[in-house]
Amino acid sequence: AQSVTQPDIHITVSEGASLELRCNYSYGATPYLFWYVQSPGQGLQLLLKYFSGDTLVQGIKGFEAEFKRSQSSFNLRKPSVHWSDAAEYFCAVADTGGFKTIFGAGTRLFVKA
Amino acid sequence: DGGITQSPKYLFRKEGQNVTLSCEQNLNHDAMYWYRQDPGQGLRLIYYSQIVNDFQKGDIAEGYSVSREKKESFPLTVTSAQKNPTAFYLCASSMGQLAETQYFGPGTRLLVL
C-alpha cells in the first residue's frame, strides 16, 4: 500500500533563509506526487505537482520540488522564506489505481524574524 | 468565482445527535471527497464520490454517511455511532480524472458538547 512520510513534525527557519521540507513515499510504480499548503483554520491549496517528465517542478509562491526515484523522495524547497510562508505543508501521493490521495502527516513551518 | 463552500464553519454536537455538514461546489467537478483532519495525523479519507448517485467508503467511514444526489452537493452526516467526532472536516473536489488536483473548501470544525 502507498504511504507518505514527512519526517519533520515542525521546522523553524529565519526569514530570508532557505527551506527544505522532506517527503518520502512508498509506491511501486511512478507516483503522482503533490505538495499542498494549509494556513491555520483553512483548507488546503496546491503548491505543485509531479506526474512525469522533468524531475524538478516549479510551483506557486516561489516553491519548487525535486522528484528523486532512487531515494523515493519529493522534497520541497524555497530559496528565501517569507513570514507569510508560515503554515502547514502536506506531501501527498495519488493512488493511480483509483481516485484516492494519500496524505502525509504534515510539517508545520514556523518563520522567525 | 468558482469554488467550494462548506457550512457551517463551527458545529456543536450533543451526545446521541446526528449532524450534517454541507459541501457545495460550482467547479463542475465530477469527484468529491470528505476528509477528517486531526492534529498530527494529516488528512484521512472518509468517503468519496466519483459521480452522482455513487460513492465509496474511504479509510475511516464508520460512523459517517453521505449522499450524492446532485453533482454540486456532497453532504456528510456524522452519526451518533461516531464516538469521537471532534475534528476538522474538509471537503474537496476534482475533475475526476486519475490523480487530478483536489480543490479544498475552508473546512468545518465539529465540537462535542
Side-chain angles (χ1 to χ4, degrees), chain A residues 27-38:
Chain A
Y27 189 71
T30 300
Y32 292 0
L33 295 160
F34 305 82
W35 274 100
Y36 288 86
V37 61
Q38 182 183 35

Side-chain angles (χ1 to χ4, degrees), chain A:
Chain A
Q2 297 105 305
S3 65
V4 177
T5 301
Q6 294 181 247
D8 303 304
I9 296 173
H10 54 80
I11 283 181
T12 300
V13 299
S14 297
E15 191 169 18
S18 64
L19 170 70
E20 183 169 28
L21 301 181
R22 296 183 291 164
C23 173
N24 294 98
Y25 66 89
S26 171
Y27 189 71
T30 300
Y32 292 0
L33 295 160
F34 305 82
W35 274 100
Y36 288 86
V37 61
Q38 182 183 35
S39 297
Q42 300 296 317
L44 279 68
Q45 179 186 22
L46 180 73
L47 285 175
L48 48 79
K49 59 185 178 183
Y50 171 79
F51 284 1
S52 64
D54 193 347
T55 57
L56 184 64
V57 294
Q58 302 297 321
I60 62 171
K61 305 184 181 185
F63 285 92
E64 66 178 27
E66 186 171 12
F67 170 61
K68 293 185 177 180
R69 183 189 302 276
S70 61
Q71 299 177 20
S72 296
S73 69
F74 188 57
N75 294 351
L76 181 71
R77 301 194 294 249
K78 187 170 184 178
S80 177
V81 168
H82 187 262
W83 64 266
S84 61
D85 293 323
E88 189 151 21
Y89 292 80
F90 292 92
C91 183
V93 61
D95 175 2
T96 54
F99 288 85
K100 295 171 62 174
T101 300
I102 311 299
F103 288 84
T107 297
R108 181 164 294 278
L109 173 65
F110 297 95
V111 180
K112 59 182 181 180

